[in-house]
Amino acid sequence: MLAGLTRVRQFSQDDAPLLHHRGPDRVRGGALLNLVQKVYGDFGLEYTAKLSTRPEKFLGEVATWDRAEAGLKQALERAGQPYTINEGDGAFYGPKIDFDVTDALGRKWQCATIQLDYQLPRQFDLTYVGADNAEQRPVVGTGPSSAASSGSSPS
């Protein structure tokens, strides 16, 4: 099916970085996972999900990584999304969920990615005042923002 998309006039997939006040809790709600499932489902694309975990060289604390990985795992499970663990393939700044789409020839292509970044807000000293009136650090969550329009490409 994906090979047929080469005749689509436009298929755009871009990052949508969002500052969250709760990190994996925000993804746990399933909004980004639901977006991936909807877009790929609307196009009839077969796909697999992989939870990519802490690489050998990484920024931040192990405890933060463990919490973020557990949150993404829980988000996948709550969304009913089957997945495999891609040990050590996370970005140096945070874990991610990678989605591989299978084309009509059986080839896999990595497309959407949902990532958590606890490092950028720390490096830029970003804070907000929480409900408890105390300063807290946000988390950057990056997910897909996709759009497509049908039509044949020029001959």
Side-chain angles (χ1 to χ4, degrees), residues 133-147:
N133 220 21
E135 280 194 354
Q136 299 180 28
R137 188 152 331 268
V139 175
V140 175
T142 305
S145 174
S146 300

Side-chain angles (χ1 to χ4, degrees), residues 62-134:
V62 171
T64 302
W65 274 83
D66 289 347
R67 188 174 69 248
E69 289 172 5
L72 289 178
K73 182 178 180 181
Q74 191 171 35
L76 287 160
E77 290 169 358
R78 285 190 180 181
Q81 177 65 57
Y83 67 96
T84 58
I85 300 291
N86 196 10
E87 200 69 44
D89 200 46
F92 67 91
Y93 51 82
K96 58 185 180 166
I97 302 169
D98 294 315
F99 294 89
D100 290 344
V101 175
T102 305
D103 69 15
L105 301 176
R107 299 174 297 191
K108 293 195 177 282
W109 301 84
Q110 183 182 331
C111 288
T113 300
I114 297 172
Q115 301 175 337
L116 292 179
D117 182 350
Y118 286 85
Q119 310 315 314
L120 191 64
R122 184 175 56 91
Q123 289 179 348
F124 283 100
D125 196 26
L126 300 178
T127 60
Y128 66 94
V129 177
D132 60 357
N133 220 21

